[in-house]
Amino acid sequence: MRILIVDDEDVLQDVLSSLLQKAGYETLAARTGREAMTLLEQEKVDLVLLDLMLPDARGLDLLKEIRSRDPEQVIVVITAFSSVEGAIEAMREGAFHYIPKPFKNDEVLLTVEKGLEQCQLAKENRELRAQLEQPFGFHNIIGRSRPMEQVFDLIRLAAPAKSNILVLGESGTGKELVAKAIHQHSRRADGPFITVNSGSMPPDLIESNLFGHVKGAFTGATSTKKGLFELAHKGSIFFDEIGNIPLDTQAKLLRVIQEKEFMRLGGVETLRADVRIIAATNAAIEDTVQRGNFREDLYYRLNVITIELPPLRERSEDIPLLVRHFLAFYAEENEKPVEEFSSEAMRLLLGYAWPGNVRELENVVERAVVLSQGSVVDLDLLPDSVREQGSIAVPSASLPNGGISLKEAISGYERQLIIKALQASGGVQKRAAELLSVKPTTLHEMMKRLNVSVDNIAIH
Ligand SMILES: Nc1ncnc2c1ncn2[C@@H]1O[C@H](COP(=O)(O)OP(=O)(O)OP(=O)(O)O)[C@@H](O)[C@H]1O
Ligand SMILES: [Mg+2]
């Protein structure tokens, strides 16, 4: 347990810190309000012992500032006996307790101990509440499959760390959602979360957007403008589709990461960047690195921790949860009494390969809710793609009246599965082979035998 002592008198600092250290606590010392706030930004502090008489700030103002930064921070104030009003005011502003000066050692220890108990209790409550609110997921990321549990564990571990993080995953797997969850579970949660989508910026404006510019830096720069790095100060910056960043901007980005400094375009002042970078990409970034379109040194700087999001087809047990989640949301938004998908419709959703992952599933559910006229969504409200491919996973086992050619039926089934795998992999045969657990050469032979070609199948 760590206690921050805020007091400008050296004697009191010494007395209090040795008393608390002897009792087994770790202590930090601040002599001014500024110092206290800086320390609280940097360190996790369980309890603040605050003298209401400080040189640079009114103790009460500091108390308010600390509480507005973290409403659950436990604060015990120390006040001169003569200023009972100050103590009462402090309690009203959320101080846990007050200790009048001169104090007895036992009194300090007892109050601190109670305050820390309160801190512990508040923490447990918070965790319990979080668990109750989100039984099947983490934050607002739904999922309880093994691969998603692993993702949640990684977020929990990585979020409070200072390292940059790279989030990998196919389109629609929830990369942005994960980036936000990381920010919200980091110590920067109260700071800004800024998204940079370089793909949607004109290339010649990327750098001025990122680093800002001074008046007259280029034609059209009629006034000085802050860049996204400045706006993200003390927060996180999320680089969506990092692979799209032009090479010369990559060099500047590397410098920001290494030196933690940058300049506005045309400026002379060096600015500090206290920013955590979370980057995402759905392309095979390692290939981009090998082709020389992405700096290797930058890649390693960004990729300190990798969080890889599994495609939806590898965690179909999450599908019913996601469906329920989106169904409830869109039913309420559209004021429709839709309650569930029929079991037949659900079977198709489970069998479908979801090349667009969770985003595609969300769209399918929204569409069904909007079109639905009853409380149950049936097959007819699913898009053709889902109806056609979703049924493939479980072959019909009934035998037609006139009998069947087993060979032909199996070939037909093989053909459909291969098409489905090719669609799911965007036409990449190596990936499709992986999905089917066969060698690429085997897939190639089968495609020839079954007359399947990548050119004449619809790829999403
Ligand atoms: N596990 C999940 N739980 C709930 N909603 C999810 C989940 N994963 C994704 N979504 C939703 O799906 C949509 C797409 O998610 P997001 O934008 O985070 O994906 P992405 O990986 O960034 O996609 P892209 O690569 O196309 O940008 C969003 O509406 C998001 O809320
Ligand atoms: Mg995205």
Side-chain angles (χ1 to χ4, degrees):
M1 289 292 195
R2 191 184 277 162
I3 298 168
L4 171 64
I5 305 168
V6 189
D7 202 316
D8 61 320
E9 285 173 58
D10 289 338
V11 184
L12 270 178
Q13 277 284 359
D14 290 348
V15 169
L16 285 169
S17 58
S18 75
L19 171 70
L20 291 167
Q21 280 170 13
K22 262 188 217 133
Y25 302 114
E26 205 181 307
T27 61
L28 294 169
R31 287 180 168 74
T32 63
R34 258 314 86 238
E35 255 181 72
M37 289 313 292
T38 312
L39 273 171
L40 284 169
E41 296 279 335
Q42 291 164 350
E43 311 277 350
K44 190 182 148 319
V45 168
D46 299 294
L47 184 143
V48 179
L49 209 51
L50 169 66
D51 191 340
L52 283 183
M53 291 288 283
L54 286 178
D56 66 333
R58 279 204 334 136
L60 267 177
D61 292 338
L62 183 61
L63 178 99
K64 283 185 209 162
E65 200 178 337
I66 298 175
R67 295 277 301 182
S68 72
R69 195 184 143 278
D70 176 4
E72 294 188 25
Q73 180 74 62
V74 181
I75 306 171
V76 173
V77 297
I78 303 177
T79 116
F81 228 151
S82 54
S83 79
V84 184
E85 295 86 7
I88 292 171
E89 181 72 26
M91 297 290 286
R92 199 175 292 141
E93 288 299 335
F96 170 71
H97 219 306
Y98 69 92
I99 304 172
K101 267 194 285 197
F103 48 76
K104 295 199 190 76
N105 288 357
D106 286 353
E107 196 178 355
V108 173
L109 287 178
L110 201 67
T111 312
V112 164
E113 197 179 315
K114 275 200 200 132
L116 288 171
E117 256 171 41
Q118 149 117 356
C119 163
Q120 190 61 27
L121 217 63
K123 191 162 149 247
E124 279 166 19
N125 264 333
R126 209 164 38 236
E127 284 168 3
L128 206 65
R129 222 180 306 132
Q131 272 177 20
L132 285 176
E133 275 166 16
Q134 246 340 309
F136 301 124
F138 177 76
H139 212 73
N140 41 8
I141 314 172
I142 308 286
R144 65 171 161 198
S145 54
R146 283 277 315 151
M148 283 311 280
E149 284 293 343
Q150 279 165 359
V151 167
F152 299 152
D153 285 345
L154 249 176
I155 297 177
R156 266 182 217 113
L157 284 173
K162 293 193 170 124
S163 331
N164 294 331
I165 298 184
L166 185 66
V167 187
L168 296 177
E170 290 178 11
S171 175
T173 44
K175 295 186 291 296
E176 185 156 1
L177 221 50
V178 167
K180 284 182 183 149
I182 291 168
H183 172 73
Q184 273 153 18
H185 285 79
S186 75
R187 293 199 194 164
R188 299 171 174 270
D190 292 332
F193 177 86
I194 302 274
T195 298
V196 180
N197 194 328
S198 59
S200 64
M201 292 178 196
D204 52 334
L205 284 186
I206 292 184
E207 285 185 13
S208 80
N209 278 342
L210 285 180
F211 306 117
H213 60 72
V214 298
K215 186 175 170 181
F218 49 84
T219 343
T222 50
S223 61
T224 294
K225 202 177 143 215
K226 284 187 183 179
L228 295 172
F229 264 100
E230 252 175 290
L231 297 178
H233 189 58
K234 295 208 181 291
S236 314
I237 196 160
F238 172 52
F239 277 92
D240 205 357
E241 237 359 283
I242 187 82
N244 287 341
I245 300 222
L247 275 166
D248 40 343
T249 311
Q250 290 175 25
K252 296 207 172 162
L253 203 53
L254 183 70
R255 181 162 176 261
V256 180
I257 295 177
Q258 279 170 340
E259 320 285 338
K260 304 211 177 298
E261 283 174 2
F262 65 97
M263 280 186 203
R264 293 188 188 135
L265 256 60
V268 286
E269 195 188 345
T270 305
L271 301 169
R272 255 191 70 72
D274 177 9
V275 169
R276 182 207 219 158
I277 300 185
I278 307 169
T281 173
N282 60 26
I285 181 97
E286 283 181 7
D287 292 348
T288 318
V289 172
Q290 272 182 358
R291 270 185 273 114
N293 292 330
F294 199 89
R295 291 181 67 115
E296 191 171 11
D297 44 9
L298 178 59
Y299 171 66
Y300 286 118
R301 286 289 183 162
L302 293 172
N303 190 16
V304 180
I305 297 171
T306 321
I307 298 184
E308 193 162 356
L309 289 174
L312 187 55
R313 64 181 169 278
E314 285 173 15
R315 46 179 169 116
S316 44
E317 62 262 53
D318 286 339
I319 290 175
L321 288 178
L322 286 161
V323 168
R324 207 176 307 151
H325 171 74
F326 292 132
L327 191 73
F329 178 81
Y330 287 107
E332 173 158 342
E333 195 180 74
N334 294 286
E335 295 177 20
K336 288 233 158 164
V338 191
E339 279 161 18
E340 56 182 348
F341 277 63
S342 72
S343 53
E344 190 66 0
M346 185 59 88
R347 196 173 65 81
L348 294 194
L349 296 182
L350 287 168
Y352 183 59
W354 300 108
N357 293 293
V358 184
R359 179 179 292 110
E360 187 184 8
L361 176 66
E362 180 171 356
N363 292 343
V364 165
V365 174
E366 179 180 5
R367 176 180 183 273
V369 169
V370 170
L371 298 179
S372 153
Q373 294 182 310
S375 64
V376 179
V377 174
D378 207 2
L379 303 181
D380 54 329
L381 295 182
L382 300 182
D384 291 346
S385 52
V386 177
R387 264 188 302 175
E388 279 157 25
Q389 294 165 41
S391 55
I392 302 171
V394 184
S396 152
S398 61
L399 186 64
N401 280 342
I404 195 176
S405 152
L406 185 61
K407 244 190 176 157
E408 266 175 33
I410 289 174
S411 295
Y413 185 50
E414 278 178 336
R415 193 166 185 281
Q416 289 186 68
L417 277 178
I418 288 172
I419 290 174
K420 194 171 152 183
L422 285 167
Q423 283 170 333
S425 63
V428 180
Q429 294 190 28
K430 189 165 163 276
R431 179 87 196 103
E434 276 171 25
L435 290 176
L436 297 166
S437 307
V438 297
K439 286 195 205 124
T441 47
T442 312
L443 177 65
H444 189 69
E445 281 161 23
M446 291 177 86
M447 284 171 64
K448 255 169 89 183
R449 172 168 61 84
L450 298 163
N451 193 22
V452 180
S453 114
V454 178
D455 299 333
N456 47 30
I457 58 173
I459 294 190
H460 296 261

